[in-house]
Amino acid sequence: MKNYGAYQTTICSEIRFSGIGLHSGKEIHVRVHPAPADFGVRFKRGDVLNSESVKVSPFSVLSTQLATSIKCGELPISTIEHISAAFYGMGVDNVLVEVFGAEIPILDGSALPFVNMINEVGIKTLTRKRKYLKINRKIVIEKDGKLIEMLPSRFMKITTHIDFDNPFIGYQKAFVNITPETFAKELAPARTFGFKKDVDQLWSLGLAKGGSLDNAVVIDNDKVLNPGGLRMPDELVKHKALDLLGDLALIGYRFFGHVRAYKSGHLINNIFARSLLISTDLYSIIELEEELEAIGSDIPAIERSFATA
Ligand SMILES: [Zn+2]
């Protein structure tokens, strides 16, 4: 199992893409630029003169309705969670995302197109070490029947549970030990989903104008309306894990811990990320002694790197 490694990274060259915005239905262009160590993942409005670039943080989140939106100066950039999850999951630490509009294109509703674009240009290792958040004591956030907790672990693990009063979905659980490989294979392809009755209501309110069967799984009572069906049997609960990872990416550190989420969504994900960051007595920020990828799943060696942190 290839892990994230000790050193920071960026992309080897610029990525350009465009696509429809989920909310506006408009075509939006994006350029992702390589960036130096300690720059972080920053977003900037390319369509606005003198727009400042903003380093993402759970505290820069403006709205969690339908998607995660951040504020960039006084302006919003919406639907950042899938591209954020892709940088986080693939191990990309430093990039400037220049968006020529108010939202990141929804593309196919998953993080797979971003993963493919990152793989096409390649990832470059920088000379400065990456910082990890290592959880030492359990943290739990509960709100309106939803729950997210993080427990100490030597790995970066996510378990998500969903429980819908719907015959097609019902109760489902997914567990992933996150590495660039498992992220690309198991989480990135999982698409956004919604119910036909909600889509009809959103359209009547002038929302989700760009939403279609090309960028979301749509469920009508006991069936999927998309002609191709699901990409994997647990695609929906895996998408919840993808969203959670995208929202946790805003903390700026990959973590050593096990996140367990029950009925999670963007709002509680953001509350959890904020609560985690301010609970400085529950975690340590560490650097790794050596390349984790050279250690693989050798647990004693990973512990050794903790011991020296
Ligand atoms: Zn999503």
Side-chain angles (χ1 to χ4, degrees), residues 188-205:
R191 291 165 296 172
T192 305
F193 64 96
F195 297 97
K196 188 176 181 297
K197 58 178 170 42
D198 296 336
V199 174
D200 291 341
Q201 201 199 351
L202 287 170
W203 281 345
S204 72
L205 294 168

Side-chain angles (χ1 to χ4, degrees), residues 65-302:
Q65 200 201 357
L66 301 174
T68 298
S69 307
I70 52 160
K71 50 179 185 282
C72 195
E74 292 306 306
L75 298 163
I77 298 178
S78 189
T79 324
I80 63 151
E81 61 271 24
H82 303 155
I83 196 169
S84 297
F87 295 134
Y88 199 58
M90 296 304 287
V92 176
D93 303 289
N94 304 291
V95 279
L96 173 63
V97 185
E98 194 181 7
V99 191
F100 294 81
E103 53 184 320
I104 300 289
I106 189 68
L107 303 179
D108 72 352
S110 80
L112 192 60
F114 301 120
V115 167
N116 291 338
M117 288 185 264
I118 292 167
N119 282 335
E120 269 167 38
V121 297
I123 296 171
K124 182 176 161 186
T125 302
L126 303 170
T127 54
R128 209 164 297 168
K129 283 198 167 174
R130 170 188 282 152
K131 293 194 172 5
Y132 285 88
L133 184 152
K134 176 185 168 254
I135 193 90
N136 298 320
R137 280 191 291 134
K138 175 169 149 176
I139 174 170
V140 189
I141 297 296
E142 256 186 291
K143 188 178 163 51
D144 305 330
K146 298 162 190 280
L147 181 147
I148 303 180
E149 60 182 6
M150 190 191 276
L151 300 98
S153 168
R154 299 182 189 97
F155 301 98
M156 184 173 172
K157 299 195 284 195
I158 286 197
T159 304
T160 43
H161 305 255
I162 54 174
D163 196 358
F164 283 89
D165 185 16
N166 171 278
F168 181 77
I169 308 177
Y171 171 80
Q172 295 181 29
K173 178 183 170 182
F175 166 77
V176 183
N177 190 352
I178 314 277
T179 66
E181 202 179 356
T182 61
F183 174 79
K185 208 169 128 198
E186 297 184 43
L187 295 189
R191 291 165 296 172
T192 305
F193 64 96
F195 297 97
K196 188 176 181 297
K197 58 178 170 42
D198 296 336
V199 174
D200 291 341
Q201 201 199 351
L202 287 170
W203 281 345
S204 72
L205 294 168
L207 298 168
K209 285 179 193 155
S212 76
L213 293 178
D214 292 333
N215 52 42
V217 174
V218 181
I219 296 142
D220 188 14
N221 196 32
D222 61 349
K223 61 181 186 292
V224 172
L225 296 182
N226 305 60
L230 294 179
R231 288 180 172 174
M232 45 192 160
D234 54 358
E235 181 171 2
L236 310 182
V237 68
K238 289 261 177 74
H239 188 80
K240 285 290 183 182
L242 175 69
D243 277 342
L244 177 55
L245 206 67
D247 289 333
L248 286 179
L250 273 54
I251 65 177
Y253 309 102
R254 276 166 205 79
F255 55 85
F256 286 107
H258 184 179
V259 182
R260 298 200 295 206
Y262 180 71
K263 292 186 168 185
S264 59
H266 294 303
L267 176 60
I268 190 168
N269 294 354
N270 183 247
I271 294 170
F272 179 81
R274 288 175 188 231
S275 308
L276 174 64
L277 264 190
I278 60 173
S279 304
T280 50
D281 53 329
L282 300 183
Y283 63 83
S284 348
I285 299 298
I286 63 163
E287 289 178 352
L288 298 181
E289 272 292 291
E290 47 200 306
E291 285 291 344
L292 259 185
E293 56 194 317
I295 300 166
S297 56
D298 180 351
I299 292 165
I302 295 173

